[in-house]
Amino acid sequence: MTTDQEQAHKSHRSHKSGASSKKKKKNHGSSELDAKERNPKAFAFNSSVKAKRLQSRAAEKEQRRLHVPTIDRSTGELPPFIVVVQGPPKVGKSLLIKCLVKHYTKHNLSEVRGPITVVSGKQRRVQFLECPNDINGMIDAAKIADLALLLVDGSYGFEMETFEFLNILQIHGFPKVMGVLTHIDKFKDVKKLRKTKQRLKHRFWSEIKDGAKLFYLSGLVHGKYPKRETHNLARFISVMKTQPLSWRSSHPYILVDRFEDVTPPGRVHTNNKCDRNITLYGYLRGSNMKKGTKVHIAGVGDFASTGITSLADPCPLPSAAKKKGLRDKEKLFYAPMSGLGDLLYDKDAVYININDHLVQFSKVDEDTSASGKGNDRDVGVALVKTLQNTRYSIDEKLEQSFINLFGRKPPSASDDNVDANESRYSQRHVSILDREDDDRLDDKEVSDDDGKKELIAESESDDSDGDNNCTMDDDHEGDQQITAFSHDLKEEIEFHNGRFRRRVISSDYKYNGDLQDSEGDDMQELDDDDDDDDDLGDHMDVGSESSEGDEDLNSEDEGENVSKWKESLLAKTVSRQNGNLMQLVYGRNVTASTTTSQEAHDSSESDDSDEDFFMPKGERTKKLSDNLDVDIVDTEDSSKFNNIQLKDWSDEDLVKSIRDRFVTGDWSKAAQRGLGTEDVGDNETVFGDFEDLETGEVFKGTPEDNDKSSGSFRMGDEQEMEERRLKKLALRAKFDDDGSDLSDEEEHNKRKINQNQTDAGGYFDKLKEEIELRKQMNIAELNDLDEATRVEVEGFRIGTYLRLEIHGIPFEMFEYFDPRHPILVGGFALGEENVGYMQARLKRHRWHKKVLKTRDPIIISVGWRRYQTIPIYAIEDRNGRYRMLKYTPEHMHCLAMFWGPLAPPKTGILALQTLSNNQTGFRITATGAVQEFNHAAQIMKKVKLVGGPLKIFKKTALIKDMFTSDLEIAKFEGAAIRTVSGIRGQVKKAAKVELGNQPKKKGESVKEGIARCTFEDRILMSDIVFLRAWTRVEIPRFYNPVTTSLQPRDQTWKGMKTVAELRRDNNLPVPFNKDSVYKPIERKPRKFNSLVIPRKLQAALPFASKPKDKPARKRPSLESRRAVVMEPHERKVHALVQHLQQIKNEKMRKRKTKEQEKKKAYEAEKMKQEQLSKKRQREERKERYRREDKHKRTRRKVED
Amino acid sequence: MGKTSYVRLKGSRQFRQRLLLSTLSSTPILVEDIRSDDTSPGLRPHEVSLLRLIEKVSDDCTVEINETGTKLRYKPGVLMGGKYLVHDCGLNRSMGYFLEPLILIGLFGKKPLSIRLKGITNDSKDPSVDTFRTTTLHMLKRFGVPLEGLELKIESRGAPPLGGGEVVLGVPIVPNSLTAAHWVDEGMVKSIRGVTFSTRVSPQIANRMIYAARGVFNRFIPDVHIFTDHRSGPAGGRSPGYGLSLVAETTSGCLISTDVAISYPKADETDVMEDSEEKPEMLPPEDVGVQAASMLLGEIEHGGVVDSTHQGLLFLLCALCPPDVSKIRVGKLTPYGIETLRNIRDFLGVKFVIKPDPTTNTVILKCVGCGLKNLSRKIA
């Protein structure tokens, strides 16, 4: 080592030229000239106010960066990471997926259909999904993407699809996004390429954030992207982390990667369009899913899931998968829809997938082949053919068959209910057995010559009716089928250990069966032992049911995994009592769904009815009330428990018994009580040590337990220890989280934050710690439970591969199924399947050309759903009133109220007007978020009631035409009214008859709707009176789920049309209301009557005020009438003056014409001159340019 | 669309919880055969009153009852809450009956709830308002509800036959959801508090009750303080009665309470309805004190972090938590508690893991909450 260190290394030679050296130089130079360093005094703070402001600003920025930490409830193996590859058509999406799959698995993919799961690392799986090129597919893909790769044709630039998809992503929680530029090789010019890259990058950044990753894929090599670049991209994908998105982390969802029709073929045969039963498969994501959850299948509708089962992971992580043998290859990828993955394991069947071109003999176009790709087996032609001829699928046969591994007590004939239950269990047994022994079954099928799968099982006489039950439930077949089938079963009934046992006999199963039988006996014995001390912690009388209950519990557990049962034996014995209490509370059918209570009531009542028929009512109820466990239909509803027997607390023994519950008692004993007793474990010591027969492991009663019984103080501390342990775990988890959770830049930021807020981030850290502690506590508590209870309590965990069976799906879904479109199955939280009014904050998208009109239907994507609804837009006035808007504002948020399935507040909303693909332009019309939901819609609209006076008294007037009835007036009593001229008033009452509202003719009733109103001044008959009021706007109760999966994908979904569309289709003109046209206002001059002053008054007026306009004379006055005759001299003078005038006029006229002529000439001359000069200038310019050009050319030549 | 699927239920059993859970989980229910075999079939006045109350605090819920009252169709609306609401509880049941569901409904409303209830404040069937104030409200603290807005003001008291009491209940809303509780440490009883009430009787009665109760506790713990609340005049309601509510506080902050109330029974019900400690003449106050004290000791003996009365509410609160594990310890499961567990399973789909703890004769329950969020709250 030392020699190595001493060895002289070549010193690093930095580049002297090139881009990097330049950059360095610049950096270096700037730091040298850093003003702050050069002149530190100038930058010392001299204003405390400013310093404070800066500080607070910095603190604010810091806080803004922090987010409220959210609890991540996923534990254990995570589901694959979904990478959605999106882009406009012909941009290379499929090729990218193919290249990536090739990179990960070294397999060539022929085509990309449906999700493709690939193991990408030891701890990581990736599921690739190609986003289809229509808006529905884009929305569905955006809702499930963990990472979106946006492919962009570099040679073309961004296309609308990319931006639409980005907007959809933003609304439905913003997952990680990475851009990928393809087709870069189209550029020949390097500079242009660089420029384009730069431009696209910056455009991309402005859309997401500065520094968002944009990946470049240059060119194709042998029709593939270059290996190195694919590798780099894969690296980028593998380091991506997901953040919890609030909607997704609170709702379970499944991206379906396998889809089967399990409708009985017979039913399909009789009616091709009957509702189908389907099974959907996929990894559970988001949150845990309980049995009986309602689900939404995107594009189809809401359904109640009839069955949810977890299946073995088809594509397990290399760390998780146990290799059973050498021939088991590690499965690195799983894509049943793309025709990969040769074997498909179902709950109760195995499908072997053979490509069509490999199988020549199969009848492709047969009706039954609709039930999925290949239920046929790769054994022999004959076998396959016989298989094809069978009428019933193996699924169904299996469902009818009845195998039981372990014996069971014959169900008591009296109790029908139990029977039904058992049949349910038995069904389960069959399935489990199958899963366990897939290969074995296959072998068996080879050996059978008639091609039927022979299940060798036995059935008791009692259980045959259980069989019937089970078939009835599934209503598959008639009875004859069963009888025919039961011939195949071999049964062997033996009486063993005091009860009937039914052994499954098959050639290669026998040994195993024996083994298990004996073990079963052990179990039984244990159980028997246990029954004795059942009542230990019981408070209710369990009675005879307890043993039966035990039975069920055990059988169920055994069914879960036969080879594993020994491991859970310990846990089970511990939880035995727990089972009892739980059974006591929840009844025997532990797997019951949510609504069974009613059934239970039914059964109990039917039981009673026979015996109690002749009993008096009071007595019957009394009898019932004795037994707590029986369903009492009518009891007093009180939380107080009144039947406490009062004890005499003066008794010394009694006092002693609770002495330690008081601080005055023994503290150490009390501490023992307060201990968390997840380790009820004292019972464990009962069993002591025992040896696992299979593995040879020795289980010991844990030494701690032994200690417990001796040292009591130890136990007091234990809780604290436990807490401390949890805290430690939490801290560790948090530390791990910090290290890996954030991407590089974020981590950098984070570090910065941590540096300057080691003490300030206390609250944030505390929150995080609390959350982590809570998580660890959850894990610790749930880990105690055995698997079955755990599933019951918390549902199926995230990451399990689920099989969802759903009944009653429209056949169109199957008919038009296209694997290229993702099937999204989303679960609901409480109350989300209800329908109601929602209020959302909505904004028209800035790229959508038009504003939106109230009551024009829009398609809304919210939560998992897409539906069409009719919104009413509104805005909140300053007084809190919601005023209706006819159109959305241009650049502002407004409220939209609509009717539809409820989504919780804060859920993002995306609105579209059309789903068609061939539409140019931006399809997203508006975006927003749900604000609240109200059941009462309170949007108001302004209304003006207009009327006119009928009769005017002093300040009172009777107003007509405003109201139609007296009732209406009564409603508006006291309302403010106004005339156009501004006189304010009030509605008083409906006009009384004596006020002038009288019938015109005799016998005619009094006219209704005439209101007596008072005004602040007397109004005129010509006044228009109006009443301004607000009226509630009804929101249409309409919503229409978008069912794009139920129609061919190339058709566009058609919903309700907008009014404009309807008009366009039917060629109707826009209705034209003459009154709403703006016309020029013409005001007629008002003619006033002349003022008449009474003569008496006139006489009294002073002269100045007297009217002075005299009336026109009828005859002209004397002055105007008389003639004038001139003297001779006068006449001469007059003539002379006239002459002179004429001469002057003539002179002036002549001068004027002369001047005009002169001016004309001048103008003409000027024009000429101008033209000349213009010509000259043009010449000059021409010359100059020529010269300059010449000069330039010569210069260039010189330079060259 | 438009069609609502109702969950069909039978009988008048657990009417309150069914309504409550139906409202919280917004599941429409259809209850049939409500006392159809009874001599007086159909809904009782207090049940109708409860329906009215729910209608009052929620928006657009629909209640349909057939003519005989044996069939009820209920479709829950949005919980609104609100201020200055008034409800007359009637004289059939005391306010405890209404307060228990109301407090949960209030938590998940749109606005904080403040409501004035009129009727009987203390009776023997339901937990009294004193117990509610001292114990029940404090339970919510464990589930992340701040105690600030939670209050119950007893303005006047009313004993059974004629009532006349008035209380004002204030419940804040939960901003998002409750928080899961890990509540198994029952601790040791460190002090006992209590309050007596007496209306229209001699004020001396209170002292007699206290004296008797203290006598019982003297053997266990010295820290016993029982307050008296004597009401006279209009604040004392319209009929005489007295009683005692006791609370034991443990070192870990659990509150265990019992209450006893004594009053004259209703004239018409004497033979049919009342059977327990209600006799034509009232129980002497000394016996009341001893009875309350021994009941409290009984509760302490059973163990658990809450008393038997509050089991149901505790289970409900646990089930309404976000999907985290809640762990609680109770004494014997009461029939009411068991019914609650069943109802929770039916409506919320939450199942509890129920483990007896043989060493202490208590029961430990674990559940993963249903993740109910306050959906009706408006996002500003």
Side-chain angles (χ1 to χ4, degrees), chain A residues 564-599:
Chain A
K564 270 194 198 162
W565 67 273
K566 295 175 210 83
E567 291 165 21
S568 59
L569 185 64
L570 193 82
K572 218 180 310 159
T573 42
V574 170
S575 66
R576 175 176 35 78
Q577 287 182 332
N578 139 33
N580 284 340
L581 254 189
M582 275 182 83
Q583 280 163 29
L584 189 74
V585 172
Y586 291 125
R588 232 174 297 110
N589 42 353
V590 188
T591 50
S593 64
T594 52
T595 48
T596 45
S597 67
Q598 177 227 351
E599 293 164 30

Short mmCIF file of all heavy atoms in Angstrom, two decimals, chain A residues 564-599:
data_model
loop_
_atom_site.label_atom_id
_atom_site.label_comp_id
_atom_site.label_asym_id
_atom_site.label_seq_id
_atom_site.Cartn_x
_atom_site.Cartn_y
_atom_site.Cartn_z
N LYS A 564 -47.05 -24.39 4.40
CA LYS A 564 -46.56 -23.40 5.35
C LYS A 564 -47.26 -23.49 6.69
O LYS A 564 -46.97 -22.71 7.58
CB LYS A 564 -46.77 -21.99 4.79
CG LYS A 564 -45.63 -21.48 3.97
CD LYS A 564 -45.84 -20.00 3.80
CE LYS A 564 -45.02 -19.45 2.66
NZ LYS A 564 -45.53 -18.18 2.23
N TRP A 565 -48.16 -24.39 6.78
CA TRP A 565 -49.05 -24.30 7.94
C TRP A 565 -48.31 -24.45 9.25
O TRP A 565 -48.69 -23.93 10.27
CB TRP A 565 -50.17 -25.33 7.85
CG TRP A 565 -49.68 -26.76 7.96
CD1 TRP A 565 -49.24 -27.53 6.96
CD2 TRP A 565 -49.59 -27.52 9.15
NE1 TRP A 565 -48.88 -28.74 7.42
CE2 TRP A 565 -49.09 -28.77 8.78
CE3 TRP A 565 -49.90 -27.28 10.48
CZ2 TRP A 565 -48.87 -29.78 9.69
CZ3 TRP A 565 -49.68 -28.29 11.39
CH2 TRP A 565 -49.16 -29.53 10.99
N LYS A 566 -47.19 -25.17 9.15
CA LYS A 566 -46.50 -25.40 10.41
C LYS A 566 -45.93 -24.11 10.97
O LYS A 566 -45.89 -23.91 12.18
CB LYS A 566 -45.35 -26.37 10.16
CG LYS A 566 -45.83 -27.72 9.75
CD LYS A 566 -44.68 -28.59 9.40
CE LYS A 566 -45.04 -29.61 8.36
NZ LYS A 566 -44.97 -29.05 7.02
N GLU A 567 -45.51 -23.27 10.06
CA GLU A 567 -44.92 -22.03 10.54
C GLU A 567 -45.92 -21.19 11.31
O GLU A 567 -45.59 -20.52 12.27
CB GLU A 567 -44.39 -21.23 9.36
CG GLU A 567 -43.20 -21.86 8.71
CD GLU A 567 -42.93 -21.27 7.37
OE1 GLU A 567 -43.40 -20.15 7.11
OE2 GLU A 567 -42.28 -21.94 6.58
N SER A 568 -47.13 -21.26 10.81
CA SER A 568 -48.12 -20.39 11.44
C SER A 568 -48.78 -21.07 12.63
O SER A 568 -49.64 -20.50 13.28
CB SER A 568 -49.17 -19.98 10.43
OG SER A 568 -49.78 -21.14 9.93
N LEU A 569 -48.35 -22.27 12.89
CA LEU A 569 -48.99 -23.01 13.96
C LEU A 569 -48.85 -22.29 15.29
O LEU A 569 -49.81 -22.09 16.03
CB LEU A 569 -48.35 -24.40 14.07
CG LEU A 569 -49.00 -25.34 15.07
CD1 LEU A 569 -50.40 -25.64 14.63
CD2 LEU A 569 -48.20 -26.61 15.16
N LEU A 570 -47.63 -21.84 15.50
CA LEU A 570 -47.34 -21.16 16.75
C LEU A 570 -48.22 -19.93 16.89
O LEU A 570 -48.91 -19.74 17.89
CB LEU A 570 -45.87 -20.76 16.74
CG LEU A 570 -45.32 -20.31 18.08
CD1 LEU A 570 -44.95 -21.51 18.90
CD2 LEU A 570 -44.11 -19.43 17.84
N ALA A 571 -48.17 -19.15 15.83
CA ALA A 571 -48.94 -17.92 15.85
C ALA A 571 -50.41 -18.22 16.06
O ALA A 571 -51.12 -17.50 16.75
CB ALA A 571 -48.75 -17.17 14.56
N LYS A 572 -50.83 -19.31 15.45
CA LYS A 572 -52.24 -19.60 15.49
C LYS A 572 -52.70 -19.98 16.88
O LYS A 572 -53.74 -19.55 17.36
CB LYS A 572 -52.53 -20.75 14.54
CG LYS A 572 -53.83 -20.57 13.81
CD LYS A 572 -54.05 -21.73 12.91
CE LYS A 572 -52.86 -22.02 12.06
NZ LYS A 572 -52.82 -23.36 11.55
N THR A 573 -51.88 -20.79 17.50
CA THR A 573 -52.28 -21.18 18.84
C THR A 573 -52.35 -19.96 19.74
O THR A 573 -53.18 -19.89 20.63
CB THR A 573 -51.31 -22.21 19.42
OG1 THR A 573 -50.00 -21.80 19.10
CG2 THR A 573 -51.58 -23.57 18.88
N VAL A 574 -51.46 -19.03 19.47
CA VAL A 574 -51.49 -17.83 20.28
C VAL A 574 -52.77 -17.05 20.00
O VAL A 574 -53.44 -16.56 20.90
CB VAL A 574 -50.26 -16.96 19.97
CG1 VAL A 574 -50.42 -15.61 20.64
CG2 VAL A 574 -49.01 -17.65 20.45
N SER A 575 -53.08 -16.99 18.73
CA SER A 575 -54.21 -16.15 18.37
C SER A 575 -55.53 -16.90 18.43
O SER A 575 -56.53 -16.43 17.93
CB SER A 575 -54.01 -15.60 16.97
OG SER A 575 -54.05 -16.67 16.07
N ARG A 576 -55.48 -18.04 19.02
CA ARG A 576 -56.70 -18.84 19.05
C ARG A 576 -57.82 -18.13 19.79
O ARG A 576 -58.93 -18.02 19.33
CB ARG A 576 -56.36 -20.17 19.72
CG ARG A 576 -57.53 -21.09 19.95
CD ARG A 576 -57.01 -22.36 20.51
NE ARG A 576 -55.89 -22.13 21.41
CZ ARG A 576 -56.02 -21.69 22.64
NH1 ARG A 576 -57.19 -21.43 23.13
NH2 ARG A 576 -54.96 -21.53 23.39
N GLN A 577 -57.45 -17.61 20.93
CA GLN A 577 -58.47 -16.94 21.73
C GLN A 577 -58.99 -15.73 20.99
O GLN A 577 -60.17 -15.44 20.98
CB GLN A 577 -57.85 -16.47 23.02
CG GLN A 577 -57.59 -17.62 23.95
CD GLN A 577 -57.02 -17.11 25.22
OE1 GLN A 577 -56.36 -16.08 25.22
NE2 GLN A 577 -57.26 -17.82 26.28
N ASN A 578 -58.07 -15.08 20.39
CA ASN A 578 -58.40 -13.90 19.61
C ASN A 578 -59.46 -14.27 18.60
O ASN A 578 -60.46 -13.59 18.43
CB ASN A 578 -57.09 -13.39 19.04
CG ASN A 578 -57.17 -12.93 17.62
OD1 ASN A 578 -58.18 -12.42 17.20
ND2 ASN A 578 -56.10 -13.13 16.91
N GLY A 579 -59.21 -15.43 17.95
CA GLY A 579 -60.19 -15.88 16.98
C GLY A 579 -61.54 -16.06 17.64
O GLY A 579 -62.56 -15.66 17.10
N ASN A 580 -61.53 -16.60 18.83
CA ASN A 580 -62.80 -16.84 19.48
C ASN A 580 -63.57 -15.57 19.73
O ASN A 580 -64.75 -15.47 19.44
CB ASN A 580 -62.56 -17.55 20.81
CG ASN A 580 -62.22 -19.00 20.57
OD1 ASN A 580 -62.54 -19.51 19.50
ND2 ASN A 580 -61.56 -19.61 21.51
N LEU A 581 -62.87 -14.58 20.26
CA LEU A 581 -63.56 -13.34 20.55
C LEU A 581 -64.03 -12.69 19.27
O LEU A 581 -65.12 -12.14 19.18
CB LEU A 581 -62.64 -12.39 21.30
CG LEU A 581 -62.93 -12.22 22.79
CD1 LEU A 581 -62.10 -11.11 23.35
CD2 LEU A 581 -64.41 -11.91 23.00
N MET A 582 -63.17 -12.76 18.28
CA MET A 582 -63.55 -12.15 17.01
C MET A 582 -64.75 -12.84 16.43
O MET A 582 -65.64 -12.21 15.88
CB MET A 582 -62.38 -12.21 16.03
CG MET A 582 -61.44 -11.06 16.20
SD MET A 582 -60.13 -11.12 15.03
CE MET A 582 -60.90 -10.37 13.62
N GLN A 583 -64.76 -14.18 16.58
CA GLN A 583 -65.92 -14.90 16.07
C GLN A 583 -67.16 -14.52 16.83
O GLN A 583 -68.24 -14.37 16.27
CB GLN A 583 -65.70 -16.40 16.21
CG GLN A 583 -64.84 -16.95 15.12
CD GLN A 583 -64.31 -18.29 15.52
OE1 GLN A 583 -64.95 -19.01 16.27
NE2 GLN A 583 -63.15 -18.62 15.02
N LEU A 584 -66.97 -14.34 18.09
CA LEU A 584 -68.10 -13.99 18.93
C LEU A 584 -68.70 -12.67 18.45
O LEU A 584 -69.91 -12.49 18.37
CB LEU A 584 -67.62 -13.86 20.36
CG LEU A 584 -68.73 -13.71 21.38
CD1 LEU A 584 -69.40 -15.05 21.57
CD2 LEU A 584 -68.15 -13.21 22.68
N VAL A 585 -67.82 -11.77 18.14
CA VAL A 585 -68.30 -10.45 17.74
C VAL A 585 -68.78 -10.46 16.30
O VAL A 585 -69.87 -10.00 15.99
CB VAL A 585 -67.18 -9.41 17.91
CG1 VAL A 585 -67.60 -8.09 17.32
CG2 VAL A 585 -66.85 -9.25 19.37
N TYR A 586 -67.97 -11.02 15.44
CA TYR A 586 -68.27 -10.89 14.02
C TYR A 586 -69.01 -12.08 13.45
O TYR A 586 -69.26 -12.13 12.26
CB TYR A 586 -66.97 -10.68 13.24
CG TYR A 586 -66.35 -9.34 13.53
CD1 TYR A 586 -65.06 -9.22 13.96
CD2 TYR A 586 -67.09 -8.17 13.35
CE1 TYR A 586 -64.49 -8.00 14.22
CE2 TYR A 586 -66.54 -6.95 13.61
CZ TYR A 586 -65.24 -6.86 14.04
OH TYR A 586 -64.70 -5.64 14.29
N GLY A 587 -69.32 -13.00 14.27
CA GLY A 587 -70.04 -14.16 13.75
C GLY A 587 -69.07 -15.13 13.13
O GLY A 587 -67.86 -14.87 13.05
N ARG A 588 -69.58 -16.26 12.73
CA ARG A 588 -68.70 -17.31 12.30
C ARG A 588 -68.11 -17.08 10.91
O ARG A 588 -66.99 -17.43 10.65
CB ARG A 588 -69.43 -18.65 12.34
CG ARG A 588 -68.67 -19.67 13.12
CD ARG A 588 -69.46 -20.91 13.27
NE ARG A 588 -70.69 -20.74 14.02
CZ ARG A 588 -71.90 -20.79 13.48
NH1 ARG A 588 -72.03 -21.01 12.21
NH2 ARG A 588 -72.97 -20.63 14.22
N ASN A 589 -68.91 -16.52 10.04
CA ASN A 589 -68.40 -16.34 8.68
C ASN A 589 -67.44 -15.17 8.68
O ASN A 589 -67.82 -14.02 8.49
CB ASN A 589 -69.52 -16.15 7.67
CG ASN A 589 -70.58 -15.25 8.22
OD1 ASN A 589 -70.54 -14.87 9.38
ND2 ASN A 589 -71.51 -14.89 7.37
N VAL A 590 -66.20 -15.52 8.90
CA VAL A 590 -65.22 -14.47 9.06
C VAL A 590 -64.98 -13.75 7.75
O VAL A 590 -64.62 -12.58 7.72
CB VAL A 590 -63.90 -15.08 9.58
CG1 VAL A 590 -62.92 -14.01 9.95
CG2 VAL A 590 -64.19 -15.95 10.78
N THR A 591 -65.22 -14.44 6.67
CA THR A 591 -64.93 -13.81 5.39
C THR A 591 -66.13 -13.04 4.86
O THR A 591 -66.14 -12.63 3.71
CB THR A 591 -64.56 -14.88 4.35
OG1 THR A 591 -65.56 -15.89 4.42
CG2 THR A 591 -63.21 -15.45 4.64
N ALA A 592 -67.11 -12.84 5.72
CA ALA A 592 -68.34 -12.23 5.23
C ALA A 592 -68.09 -10.83 4.67
O ALA A 592 -67.21 -10.12 5.12
CB ALA A 592 -69.33 -12.14 6.37
N SER A 593 -68.90 -10.50 3.73
CA SER A 593 -68.76 -9.18 3.15
C SER A 593 -69.53 -8.18 4.01
O SER A 593 -70.07 -8.52 5.05
CB SER A 593 -69.28 -9.18 1.72
OG SER A 593 -70.64 -9.45 1.74
N THR A 594 -69.59 -6.99 3.56
CA THR A 594 -70.08 -5.93 4.42
C THR A 594 -71.57 -5.98 4.67
O THR A 594 -72.03 -5.53 5.69
CB THR A 594 -69.76 -4.57 3.80
OG1 THR A 594 -70.23 -4.60 2.47
CG2 THR A 594 -68.30 -4.30 3.85
N THR A 595 -72.30 -6.50 3.75
CA THR A 595 -73.74 -6.37 3.91
C THR A 595 -74.40 -7.66 4.35
O THR A 595 -75.57 -7.88 4.10
CB THR A 595 -74.37 -5.94 2.60
OG1 THR A 595 -73.84 -6.76 1.57
CG2 THR A 595 -74.08 -4.50 2.32
N THR A 596 -73.65 -8.49 5.01
CA THR A 596 -74.24 -9.76 5.37
C THR A 596 -75.10 -9.67 6.60
O THR A 596 -75.76 -10.62 6.94
CB THR A 596 -73.17 -10.81 5.62
OG1 THR A 596 -72.18 -10.20 6.41
CG2 THR A 596 -72.64 -11.36 4.34
N SER A 597 -75.03 -8.57 7.26
CA SER A 597 -75.75 -8.49 8.52
C SER A 597 -77.22 -8.81 8.30
O SER A 597 -77.84 -9.49 9.10
CB SER A 597 -75.63 -7.10 9.08
OG SER A 597 -76.30 -6.20 8.26
N GLN A 598 -77.69 -8.33 7.20
CA GLN A 598 -79.09 -8.52 6.94
C GLN A 598 -79.40 -9.99 6.73
O GLN A 598 -80.39 -10.50 7.24
CB GLN A 598 -79.46 -7.71 5.70
CG GLN A 598 -80.87 -7.87 5.26
CD GLN A 598 -80.92 -8.11 3.79
OE1 GLN A 598 -79.92 -7.98 3.11
NE2 GLN A 598 -82.07 -8.47 3.30
N GLU A 599 -78.50 -10.64 6.01
CA GLU A 599 -78.71 -12.07 5.81
C GLU A 599 -78.74 -12.79 7.13
O GLU A 599 -79.56 -13.65 7.37
CB GLU A 599 -77.58 -12.66 4.97
CG GLU A 599 -77.57 -12.16 3.54
CD GLU A 599 -76.25 -12.47 2.89
OE1 GLU A 599 -75.62 -13.47 3.28
OE2 GLU A 599 -75.85 -11.71 2.01
#
